[in-house]
Structure formats: structure tokens, C-alpha cells
Tab-separated table of all heavy atoms in Angstrom:
chain	number	residue	atom	x	y	z
A	295	LEU	N	-128.356	93.824	-4.816
A	295	LEU	CA	-127.751	92.586	-5.295
A	295	LEU	C	-127.365	91.706	-4.109
A	295	LEU	O	-127.426	90.475	-4.194
A	295	LEU	CB	-126.524	92.894	-6.152
A	295	LEU	CG	-125.920	91.706	-6.902
A	295	LEU	CD1	-126.913	91.129	-7.904
A	295	LEU	CD2	-124.638	92.119	-7.612
A	296	LYS	N	-126.990	92.327	-2.996
A	296	LYS	CA	-126.662	91.568	-1.793
A	296	LYS	C	-127.846	90.711	-1.354
A	296	LYS	O	-127.682	89.544	-0.968
A	296	LYS	CB	-126.257	92.509	-0.657
A	296	LYS	CG	-125.935	91.781	0.651
A	296	LYS	CD	-125.611	92.739	1.775
A	296	LYS	CE	-125.284	91.987	3.070
A	296	LYS	NZ	-126.400	91.128	3.537
A	297	ALA	N	-129.049	91.279	-1.421
A	297	ALA	CA	-130.235	90.519	-1.023
A	297	ALA	C	-130.437	89.319	-1.938
A	297	ALA	O	-130.819	88.239	-1.485
A	297	ALA	CB	-131.473	91.415	-1.037
A	298	HIS	N	-130.167	89.486	-3.226
A	298	HIS	CA	-130.323	88.351	-4.137
A	298	HIS	C	-129.260	87.290	-3.863
A	298	HIS	O	-129.535	86.088	-3.929
A	298	HIS	CB	-130.257	88.785	-5.601
A	298	HIS	CG	-130.795	87.751	-6.540
A	298	HIS	ND1	-129.991	86.780	-7.095
A	298	HIS	CD2	-132.061	87.497	-6.978
A	298	HIS	CE1	-130.735	85.984	-7.852
A	298	HIS	NE2	-131.994	86.392	-7.798
A	299	LYS	N	-128.060	87.722	-3.543
A	299	LYS	CA	-127.016	86.764	-3.170
A	299	LYS	C	-127.411	86.014	-1.898
A	299	LYS	O	-127.202	84.796	-1.793
A	299	LYS	CB	-125.682	87.491	-2.970
A	299	LYS	CG	-125.058	88.001	-4.258
A	299	LYS	CD	-123.736	88.699	-3.987
A	299	LYS	CE	-123.106	89.177	-5.287
A	299	LYS	NZ	-121.817	89.860	-5.075
A	300	ASP	N	-127.981	86.738	-0.921
A	300	ASP	CA	-128.427	86.077	0.313
A	300	ASP	C	-129.553	85.086	0.010
A	300	ASP	O	-129.592	83.985	0.567
A	300	ASP	CB	-128.893	87.116	1.334
A	300	ASP	CG	-127.729	87.913	1.913
A	300	ASP	OD1	-126.581	87.445	1.799
A	300	ASP	OD2	-127.978	88.998	2.464
A	301	GLY	N	-130.473	85.472	-0.879
A	301	GLY	CA	-131.520	84.544	-1.292
A	301	GLY	C	-130.937	83.313	-1.953
A	301	GLY	O	-131.406	82.187	-1.740
A	302	SER	N	-129.879	83.517	-2.726
A	302	SER	CA	-129.209	82.397	-3.392
A	302	SER	C	-128.550	81.468	-2.380
A	302	SER	O	-128.485	80.253	-2.585
A	302	SER	CB	-128.168	82.927	-4.372
A	302	SER	OG	-128.765	83.733	-5.372
A	303	ARG	N	-128.060	82.034	-1.291
A	303	ARG	CA	-127.458	81.204	-0.234
A	303	ARG	C	-128.499	80.293	0.403
A	303	ARG	O	-128.247	79.111	0.660
A	303	ARG	CB	-126.801	82.098	0.820
A	303	ARG	CG	-125.539	82.797	0.330
A	303	ARG	CD	-124.863	83.604	1.428
A	303	ARG	NE	-123.534	84.025	1.020
A	303	ARG	CZ	-123.241	85.212	0.480
A	303	ARG	NH1	-124.213	86.104	0.313
A	303	ARG	NH2	-122.006	85.501	0.123
A	304	PHE	N	-129.691	80.841	0.664
A	304	PHE	CA	-130.762	80.000	1.211
A	304	PHE	C	-131.215	78.970	0.175
A	304	PHE	O	-131.576	77.846	0.530
A	304	PHE	CB	-131.945	80.866	1.663
A	304	PHE	CG	-131.702	81.586	2.957
A	304	PHE	CD1	-131.530	82.957	2.983
A	304	PHE	CD2	-131.635	80.882	4.158
A	304	PHE	CE1	-131.294	83.626	4.173
A	304	PHE	CE2	-131.399	81.539	5.357
A	304	PHE	CZ	-131.229	82.916	5.366
A	305	TRP	N	-131.165	79.346	-1.094
A	305	TRP	CA	-131.523	78.406	-2.160
A	305	TRP	C	-130.551	77.227	-2.179
A	305	TRP	O	-130.958	76.071	-2.312
A	305	TRP	CB	-131.514	79.129	-3.502
A	305	TRP	CG	-131.867	78.259	-4.665
A	305	TRP	CD1	-133.092	77.718	-4.952
A	305	TRP	CD2	-130.979	77.811	-5.696
A	305	TRP	NE1	-133.017	76.971	-6.103
A	305	TRP	CE2	-131.736	77.009	-6.574
A	305	TRP	CE3	-129.634	78.015	-5.957
A	305	TRP	CZ2	-131.188	76.413	-7.702
A	305	TRP	CZ3	-129.072	77.429	-7.085
A	305	TRP	CH2	-129.847	76.633	-7.942
A	306	VAL	N	-129.255	77.520	-2.035
A	306	VAL	CA	-128.249	76.455	-2.010
A	306	VAL	C	-128.478	75.531	-0.808
A	306	VAL	O	-128.307	74.308	-0.902
A	306	VAL	CB	-126.831	77.060	-1.974
A	306	VAL	CG1	-125.787	75.977	-1.704
A	306	VAL	CG2	-126.512	77.762	-3.296
A	307	LYS	N	-128.877	76.110	0.321
A	307	LYS	CA	-129.099	75.313	1.533
A	307	LYS	C	-130.340	74.431	1.434
A	307	LYS	O	-130.465	73.450	2.166
A	307	LYS	CB	-129.260	76.241	2.747
A	307	LYS	CG	-127.994	76.971	3.145
A	307	LYS	CD	-128.275	77.936	4.295
A	307	LYS	CE	-127.047	78.766	4.643
A	307	LYS	NZ	-127.352	79.770	5.692
A	308	ASP	N	-131.252	74.774	0.544
A	308	ASP	CA	-132.501	74.016	0.409
A	308	ASP	C	-132.231	72.755	-0.410
A	308	ASP	O	-132.456	72.711	-1.620
A	308	ASP	CB	-133.559	74.902	-0.262
A	308	ASP	CG	-134.921	74.231	-0.329
A	308	ASP	OD1	-135.236	73.428	0.576
A	308	ASP	OD2	-135.677	74.513	-1.284
A	309	LYS	N	-131.753	71.732	0.262
A	309	LYS	CA	-131.318	70.514	-0.414
A	309	LYS	C	-132.506	69.627	-0.803
A	309	LYS	O	-133.410	69.400	-0.011
A	309	LYS	CB	-130.389	69.707	0.499
A	309	LYS	CG	-129.154	70.457	0.980
A	309	LYS	CD	-128.195	70.742	-0.156
A	309	LYS	CE	-126.900	71.380	0.345
A	309	LYS	NZ	-125.987	71.728	-0.763
A	310	GLY	N	-132.468	69.144	-2.027
A	310	GLY	CA	-133.441	68.155	-2.488
A	310	GLY	C	-134.895	68.535	-2.414
A	310	GLY	O	-135.733	67.709	-2.060
A	311	PRO	N	-135.259	69.784	-2.760
A	311	PRO	CA	-136.691	70.129	-2.726
A	311	PRO	C	-137.459	69.380	-3.813
A	311	PRO	O	-136.895	69.053	-4.862
A	311	PRO	CB	-136.695	71.634	-2.996
A	311	PRO	CG	-135.477	71.851	-3.833
A	311	PRO	CD	-134.449	70.887	-3.295
A	312	VAL	N	-138.720	69.138	-3.569
A	312	VAL	CA	-139.554	68.486	-4.582
A	312	VAL	C	-139.815	69.445	-5.731
A	312	VAL	O	-139.741	69.076	-6.911
A	312	VAL	CB	-140.883	68.008	-3.951
A	312	VAL	CG1	-141.804	67.431	-5.029
A	312	VAL	CG2	-140.614	66.970	-2.874
A	313	VAL	N	-140.122	70.705	-5.393
A	313	VAL	CA	-140.312	71.755	-6.399
A	313	VAL	C	-139.102	72.679	-6.337
A	313	VAL	O	-138.818	73.278	-5.300
A	313	VAL	CB	-141.603	72.556	-6.149
A	313	VAL	CG1	-141.732	73.687	-7.170
A	313	VAL	CG2	-142.820	71.640	-6.211
A	314	GLU	N	-138.382	72.776	-7.430
A	314	GLU	CA	-137.155	73.575	-7.494
A	314	GLU	C	-137.407	74.812	-8.337
A	314	GLU	O	-138.110	74.758	-9.358
A	314	GLU	CB	-136.030	72.736	-8.106
A	314	GLU	CG	-134.691	73.434	-8.157
A	314	GLU	CD	-134.100	73.686	-6.777
A	314	GLU	OE1	-134.534	74.677	-6.140
A	314	GLU	OE2	-133.212	72.922	-6.355
A	315	SER	N	-136.820	75.938	-7.911
A	315	SER	CA	-137.011	77.177	-8.666
A	315	SER	C	-135.864	78.136	-8.385
A	315	SER	O	-135.289	78.132	-7.288
A	315	SER	CB	-138.339	77.837	-8.281
A	315	SER	OG	-138.525	79.049	-8.989
A	316	TYR	N	-135.537	78.943	-9.380
A	316	TYR	CA	-134.540	80.012	-9.204
A	316	TYR	C	-134.979	81.166	-10.080
A	316	TYR	O	-135.478	80.963	-11.198
A	316	TYR	CB	-133.152	79.506	-9.590
A	316	TYR	CG	-132.016	80.409	-9.160
A	316	TYR	CD1	-131.748	80.627	-7.819
A	316	TYR	CD2	-131.199	81.034	-10.102
A	316	TYR	CE1	-130.688	81.435	-7.406
A	316	TYR	CE2	-130.136	81.848	-9.710
A	316	TYR	CZ	-129.889	82.041	-8.357
A	316	TYR	OH	-128.846	82.847	-7.956
A	317	ILE	N	-134.787	82.396	-9.596
A	317	ILE	CA	-135.335	83.548	-10.312
A	317	ILE	C	-134.445	84.759	-10.127
A	317	ILE	O	-133.875	84.960	-9.051
A	317	ILE	CB	-136.773	83.849	-9.808
A	317	ILE	CG1	-137.438	84.963	-10.631
A	317	ILE	CG2	-136.791	84.201	-8.321
A	317	ILE	CD1	-138.929	85.115	-10.353
A	318	GLY	N	-134.279	85.532	-11.196
A	318	GLY	CA	-133.516	86.768	-11.083
A	318	GLY	C	-132.769	87.108	-12.360
A	318	GLY	O	-133.061	86.590	-13.439
A	319	PHE	N	-131.785	87.985	-12.228
A	319	PHE	CA	-130.947	88.394	-13.354
A	319	PHE	C	-129.718	87.482	-13.321
A	319	PHE	O	-128.800	87.695	-12.536
A	319	PHE	CB	-130.600	89.879	-13.228
A	319	PHE	CG	-131.821	90.757	-13.302
A	319	PHE	CD1	-132.560	91.050	-12.157
A	319	PHE	CD2	-132.263	91.244	-14.515
A	319	PHE	CE1	-133.698	91.831	-12.225
A	319	PHE	CE2	-133.412	92.031	-14.602
A	319	PHE	CZ	-134.135	92.321	-13.450
A	320	ILE	N	-129.717	86.465	-14.165
A	320	ILE	CA	-128.851	85.292	-13.963
A	320	ILE	C	-127.686	85.204	-14.942
A	320	ILE	O	-126.535	85.133	-14.537
A	320	ILE	CB	-129.690	83.992	-14.071
A	320	ILE	CG1	-130.964	84.081	-13.216
A	320	ILE	CG2	-128.840	82.786	-13.672
A	320	ILE	CD1	-130.728	84.324	-11.754
A	321	GLU	N	-127.978	85.172	-16.238
A	321	GLU	CA	-126.935	84.901	-17.242
A	321	GLU	C	-126.596	86.172	-18.020
A	321	GLU	O	-127.478	86.910	-18.453
A	321	GLU	CB	-127.401	83.815	-18.217
A	321	GLU	CG	-127.756	82.484	-17.561
A	321	GLU	CD	-126.537	81.721	-17.044
A	321	GLU	OE1	-125.401	82.195	-17.247
A	321	GLU	OE2	-126.733	80.645	-16.441
A	322	ASN	N	-125.276	86.402	-18.217
A	322	ASN	CA	-124.845	87.634	-18.887
A	322	ASN	C	-124.385	87.400	-20.329
A	322	ASN	O	-123.556	88.142	-20.850
A	322	ASN	CB	-123.733	88.317	-18.084
A	322	ASN	CG	-122.584	87.384	-17.758
A	322	ASN	OD1	-122.434	86.332	-18.374
A	322	ASN	ND2	-121.764	87.755	-16.785
A	323	TYR	N	-124.940	86.390	-20.984
A	323	TYR	CA	-124.544	86.085	-22.359
A	323	TYR	C	-124.876	87.214	-23.342
A	323	TYR	O	-124.141	87.454	-24.298
A	323	TYR	CB	-125.249	84.822	-22.863
A	323	TYR	CG	-124.942	83.560	-22.095
A	323	TYR	CD1	-125.968	82.732	-21.641
A	323	TYR	CD2	-123.632	83.176	-21.834
A	323	TYR	CE1	-125.704	81.567	-20.950
A	323	TYR	CE2	-123.354	82.010	-21.142
A	323	TYR	CZ	-124.395	81.207	-20.702
A	323	TYR	OH	-124.129	80.048	-20.012
A	324	ARG	N	-126.002	87.902	-23.138
A	324	ARG	CA	-126.508	88.796	-24.182
A	324	ARG	C	-126.032	90.240	-24.044
A	324	ARG	O	-126.179	91.032	-24.981
A	324	ARG	CB	-128.038	88.751	-24.217
A	324	ARG	CG	-128.598	87.356	-24.405
A	324	ARG	CD	-130.076	87.368	-24.707
A	324	ARG	NE	-130.325	87.378	-26.140
A	324	ARG	CZ	-131.538	87.440	-26.688
A	324	ARG	NH1	-132.597	87.527	-25.914
A	324	ARG	NH2	-131.691	87.434	-27.993
A	325	ASP	N	-125.505	90.606	-22.891
A	325	ASP	CA	-124.936	91.937	-22.733
A	325	ASP	C	-123.643	92.012	-23.530
A	325	ASP	O	-122.737	91.207	-23.320
A	325	ASP	CB	-124.667	92.208	-21.250
A	325	ASP	CG	-123.886	93.492	-21.017
A	325	ASP	OD1	-123.948	94.392	-21.873
A	325	ASP	OD2	-123.213	93.590	-19.974
A	326	PRO	N	-123.507	92.963	-24.468
A	326	PRO	CA	-122.272	93.022	-25.256
A	326	PRO	C	-121.032	93.259	-24.401
A	326	PRO	O	-119.928	92.902	-24.806
A	326	PRO	CB	-122.512	94.195	-26.224
A	326	PRO	CG	-123.645	94.970	-25.645
A	326	PRO	CD	-124.489	93.985	-24.890
A	327	ALA	N	-121.217	93.837	-23.206
A	327	ALA	CA	-120.086	94.048	-22.299
A	327	ALA	C	-119.833	92.836	-21.416
A	327	ALA	O	-118.822	92.772	-20.709
A	327	ALA	CB	-120.342	95.277	-21.424
A	328	GLY	N	-120.761	91.863	-21.403
A	328	GLY	CA	-120.554	90.607	-20.687
A	328	GLY	C	-120.721	90.677	-19.187
A	328	GLY	O	-120.249	89.787	-18.472
A	329	THR	N	-121.405	91.714	-18.669
A	329	THR	CA	-121.540	91.838	-17.215
A	329	THR	C	-122.982	91.939	-16.730
A	329	THR	O	-123.278	91.544	-15.604
A	329	THR	CB	-120.776	93.077	-16.704
A	329	THR	OG1	-121.273	94.245	-17.371
A	329	THR	CG2	-119.282	92.944	-16.960
A	330	ARG	N	-123.878	92.462	-17.538
A	330	ARG	CA	-125.273	92.625	-17.130
A	330	ARG	C	-126.073	91.392	-17.543
A	330	ARG	O	-125.823	90.815	-18.593
A	330	ARG	CB	-125.870	93.899	-17.743
A	330	ARG	CG	-125.162	95.140	-17.256
A	330	ARG	CD	-125.369	96.364	-18.136
A	330	ARG	NE	-124.438	97.409	-17.698
A	330	ARG	CZ	-123.191	97.535	-18.133
A	330	ARG	NH1	-122.719	96.688	-19.046
A	330	ARG	NH2	-122.408	98.484	-17.663
A	331	ALA	N	-127.050	91.017	-16.729
A	331	ALA	CA	-127.694	89.720	-16.923
A	331	ALA	C	-129.145	89.840	-17.380
A	331	ALA	O	-129.873	90.760	-16.995
A	331	ALA	CB	-127.624	88.908	-15.629
A	332	GLU	N	-129.534	88.858	-18.165
A	332	GLU	CA	-130.921	88.722	-18.606
A	332	GLU	C	-131.753	88.124	-17.477
A	332	GLU	O	-131.274	87.298	-16.704
A	332	GLU	CB	-130.955	87.801	-19.825
A	332	GLU	CG	-132.323	87.620	-20.435
A	332	GLU	CD	-132.273	86.747	-21.684
A	332	GLU	OE1	-131.686	85.656	-21.638
A	332	GLU	OE2	-132.826	87.166	-22.711
A	333	PHE	N	-133.012	88.546	-17.409
A	333	PHE	CA	-133.909	87.939	-16.435
A	333	PHE	C	-134.185	86.490	-16.846
A	333	PHE	O	-134.362	86.183	-18.023
A	333	PHE	CB	-135.233	88.700	-16.355
A	333	PHE	CG	-136.065	88.292	-15.174
A	333	PHE	CD1	-135.977	88.962	-13.969
A	333	PHE	CD2	-136.939	87.213	-15.244
A	333	PHE	CE1	-136.729	88.583	-12.870
A	333	PHE	CE2	-137.685	86.809	-14.160
A	333	PHE	CZ	-137.582	87.497	-12.965
A	334	GLU	N	-134.206	85.619	-15.842
A	334	GLU	CA	-134.424	84.194	-16.101
A	334	GLU	C	-135.089	83.579	-14.884
A	334	GLU	O	-134.773	83.933	-13.745
A	334	GLU	CB	-133.084	83.512	-16.367
A	334	GLU	CG	-133.134	82.018	-16.572
A	334	GLU	CD	-131.749	81.430	-16.793
A	334	GLU	OE1	-131.112	81.774	-17.811
A	334	GLU	OE2	-131.295	80.643	-15.930
A	335	SER	N	-136.003	82.671	-15.113
A	335	SER	CA	-136.628	81.966	-13.990
A	335	SER	C	-137.119	80.605	-14.462
A	335	SER	O	-137.611	80.470	-15.579
A	335	SER	CB	-137.805	82.773	-13.434
A	335	SER	OG	-138.340	82.137	-12.289
A	336	PHE	N	-136.945	79.617	-13.596
A	336	PHE	CA	-137.495	78.309	-13.923
A	336	PHE	C	-138.197	77.724	-12.710
A	336	PHE	O	-137.893	78.049	-11.563
A	336	PHE	CB	-136.408	77.351	-14.435
A	336	PHE	CG	-135.444	76.868	-13.370
A	336	PHE	CD1	-135.746	75.748	-12.599
A	336	PHE	CD2	-134.242	77.519	-13.163
A	336	PHE	CE1	-134.861	75.296	-11.628
A	336	PHE	CE2	-133.356	77.077	-12.194
A	336	PHE	CZ	-133.669	75.959	-11.417
């Protein structure tokens, strides 16, 4: 998870890209315990 957080840091630093994308286990809406995330990418 640390590596994904580090990737997210570089993503935040990438200001104003023409092609934008984010990928990983992002939103935890569907886990009944509210902590595990569904895979999502755009």
C-alpha cells in the first residue's frame, strides 16, 4: 500500500496533464465494514 501511496504522490505532483488517469483500490463504499476498497480506474 505504501507503493500505491507513493504513486499517488507523484500523481498529485503531475499538474495539468493532457491525459489524466488514476488506478487502484480507491473507494470503500461497497465493503460492509467500510474499509476495503473496490478496484477503480479512469
Side-chain angles (χ1 to χ4, degrees):
L295 189 63
K296 178 183 180 301
H298 197 270
K299 289 180 179 180
D300 289 342
S302 299
R303 290 184 168 95
F304 284 110
W305 180 70
V306 170
K307 291 176 185 176
D308 185 31
K309 303 292 185 183
V312 175
V313 177
E314 183 67 280
S315 179
Y316 193 65
I317 186 169
F319 297 87
I320 311 301
E321 301 289 357
N322 52 17
Y323 298 130
R324 304 191 93 183
D325 172 25
T329 57
R330 297 161 191 87
E332 183 177 50
F333 192 92
E334 177 181 296
S335 184
F336 72 87

